[in-house]
Amino acid sequence: AVVSTQSTGIKLHKEDNTTDFIVRGYAWAEYHADIYDQVMEEFTSSKIDTECAGGGRIRHDPQKKEIFVYGYSVGFGRADHSKTVKLIQRKYPGYNVHFSNEGY
């Protein structure tokens, strides 16, 4: 089945002044803020600060081995979809992973 979820790009600011970028998407999340709240909670006990870097949507079609990243978050703006695609390509080699800055 094709699954579409909200997705949120998050910057992780570490103690050594380096920054990582992660993407999270949960089918249960109605809003991008729900995802960000969950991630903030996960990092509360660590010494890593989080920053929401925008949002979008991810459509995953496992049968076609295709993942499409698109859209934006009304509250947080558009995530850098090119960064999101690079992360997804690492996790899903052999998939056609692409993005568009069009659409909601």
Side-chain angles (χ1 to χ4, degrees):
V2 177
V3 177
S4 293
T5 62
Q6 306 271 2
S7 65
T8 303
I10 300 155
K11 289 182 183 176
L12 303 177
H13 301 283
K14 299 190 268 184
E15 279 190 307
D16 63 1
N17 291 324
T18 60
T19 303
D20 281 335
F21 183 78
I22 64 171
V23 175
R24 294 293 181 266
Y26 303 112
W28 55 261
E30 189 173 349
Y31 299 103
H32 292 97
D34 297 332
I35 297 168
Y36 185 54
D37 288 347
Q38 174 72 30
V39 172
M40 280 194 316
E41 192 174 300
E42 291 171 16
F43 285 95
T44 297
S45 62
S46 71
K47 295 183 179 184
I48 296 175
D49 290 326
T50 62
E51 174 189 353
C52 186
R57 287 169 177 66
I58 297 174
R59 186 177 68 223
H60 181 191
D61 186 336
Q63 213 167 21
K64 291 183 179 177
K65 290 192 167 197
E66 179 180 38
I67 297 175
F68 179 52
V69 180
Y70 64 99
Y72 62 93
S73 164
V74 171
F76 297 115
R78 179 177 286 109
D80 184 341
H81 294 332
S82 64
K83 285 183 179 180
T84 300
V85 164
K86 285 179 187 172
L87 289 173
I88 292 171
Q89 285 171 328
R90 278 193 243 150
K91 179 83 175 169
Y92 291 90
Y95 266 65
N96 174 18
V97 184
H98 55 105
F99 75 92
S100 171
N101 285 324
E102 301 301 314
Y104 171 71

